[in-house]
Amino acid sequence: MDTERLRPATQPAAGAAPIDWETISETIRGALRTGSGPIDPDEMAGLAETLRGHIALLLIEARQRASQLGRGTIEAQQAAMRLGSIERQFRRPPASLPLCAHVQVQRLAQDC
């Protein structure tokens, strides 16, 4: 994954922790590799929680960048729709069934 292009255009808000791009990238890679064997519900729950934490940080940056798009442009509308979709997935409760938990982790990794 090209983490250089993911680096923020802005500085973190005062008091906010800096974004650890390498850790986020490694978490995403690990989450996308899951499911090749038996699905461990505890592992899925842990990955989902970690990805949610990453998404919470990244949503701040994404919203800042989206706010710089021209109001009413197609790009601004697409960004708003995508961020809304990510936020809805982010807020879903943890899945209880193993396959559902695996799918949820995959979606969170893609959103991240």
Side-chain angles (χ1 to χ4, degrees), residues 6-20:
L6 298 175
R7 302 223 185 270
T10 58
Q11 295 299 317
I19 296 173
D20 182 347

Side-chain angles (χ1 to χ4, degrees), residues 37-55:
I39 297 171
D40 178 357
D42 291 334
E43 178 186 14
M44 292 300 113
L47 278 170
E49 190 61 31
T50 301
L51 289 164
R52 280 190 177 90
H54 294 332
I55 290 170

